[in-house]
Amino acid sequence: MAARIYQRPKSAMQSGKAQTDQWVLEFAPSEARRADPLMGWTGSGDTQVQVVLKFPDCDAAQEYAKKHGIAARIHKTPVKTLKIQAYADNFR
């Protein structure tokens, strides 16, 4: 079982930082998705993809993965850089 651990990003529709401090462990799909011949929906028999585990910090997620024998990769959150600019700078 392969998984990835990452910090939940802020949504594009979100101005605050609610739930961005959580770390998430998601399992990678073990089989390809295929179209259902009757309805045309895509799906697979892999139910581990539906499991999303949330942790308060990265260390807790790593310990859980190690305890249960899950090979997990950690995706660090990129550093955010802000371009501080005054409104008056538009008219220079």
Side-chain angles (χ1 to χ4, degrees):
M1 264 189 301
R4 68 182 187 133
I5 299 172
Y6 65 95
Q7 193 170 15
R8 177 172 288 179
K10 185 174 81 165
S11 168
M13 300 301 292
Q14 179 178 353
S15 62
K17 294 184 178 183
Q19 297 181 355
T20 57
D21 57 344
Q22 294 180 347
W23 286 80
V24 178
L25 185 139
E26 283 184 343
F27 292 97
S30 63
E31 64 180 56
R33 299 180 71 120
R34 59 189 181 281
D36 182 46
L38 180 63
M39 298 297 289
W41 297 340
T42 58
S44 69
D46 184 20
T47 57
Q48 285 292 85
V49 178
Q50 300 172 7
V51 177
V52 176
L53 301 173
K54 299 173 190 162
F55 297 94
D57 57 357
C58 183
D59 294 332
Q62 283 180 333
E63 289 175 20
Y64 179 85
K66 187 181 290 186
K67 180 180 175 184
H68 293 282
I70 300 168
R73 280 189 329 219
I74 299 169
H75 296 275
K76 297 287 184 187
T77 306
V79 179
K80 296 176 186 158
T81 57
L82 296 176
K83 181 181 176 186
I84 307 299
Q85 182 178 356
Y87 180 69
D89 292 342
N90 292 334
F91 303 102
R92 286 190 178 171

